[in-house]
Amino acid sequence: HVQLVESGRGSVRAGGSLRLSCAANAHTFCIAWFRQAPGKEREGVAGIQVSNGMTYVADSVKGRFTVSRDNAKKTLYLQMNTLKPEDTAMYYCAASTLFACIPPRTDRYNYWGQGTQVTVSS
């Protein structure tokens, strides 16, 4: 059973930065960050296919967010720069043991963290 522990929640002003971390207790095919704002669907933000290091970053955050992974620590990072109020959401780390897990879609991920809140004020 894959367990995911997220850290790095916070509140920042627009233009600020945050880094989220997600520690896993096992290797999986893919590991990714999703986010869900109130009243909106959960969306894939960024992810990595572990076998070949292929990364995905959503167009809405491209150029501002960077995803990376420390394989030895089995930890996924999301560096978020130039944050905007529309980035406010609950951010979830998720892992997949299924195929076709990049780009990240909620139906392709079978392990989920509890979520960490990111709030960006204007």
Side-chain angles (χ1 to χ4, degrees):
H1 181 75
V2 179
Q3 293 180 317
L4 304 168
V5 179
E6 300 132 332
S7 59
R9 67 187 299 155
S11 298
V12 297
R13 288 187 176 270
S17 298
L18 279 175
R19 189 174 84 154
L20 304 182
S21 301
C22 173
N25 66 343
H27 288 291
T28 54
F29 288 165
C30 294
I31 189 163
W33 290 100
F34 291 76
R35 69 183 181 185
Q36 188 167 21
K40 294 189 176 181
E41 292 187 354
R42 192 170 297 188
E43 63 172 347
V45 176
I48 291 179
Q49 184 167 305
V50 176
S51 61
N52 60 12
M54 181 174 68
T55 61
Y56 166 88
V57 179
D59 287 342
S60 58
V61 302
K62 197 166 289 183
R64 301 188 297 119
F65 290 13
T66 303
V67 64
S68 61
R69 186 173 186 270
D70 184 324
N71 288 334
K73 295 181 179 180
K74 296 191 287 289
T75 299
L76 181 72
Y77 301 100
L78 184 67
Q79 178 66 44
M80 305 184 292
N81 298 327
T82 319
L83 282 159
K84 303 176 180 180
E86 52 263 43
D87 295 318
T88 295
M90 186 71 80
Y91 284 71
Y92 296 90
C93 178
S96 176
T97 58
L98 307 174
F99 293 109
C101 45
I102 291 294
R105 296 183 354 231
T106 55
D107 63 345
R108 304 306 298 168
Y109 281 73
N110 45 352
Y111 296 98
W112 292 85
Q114 292 188 332
T116 187
Q117 178 68 37
V118 171
T119 302
V120 185
S121 59
S122 57

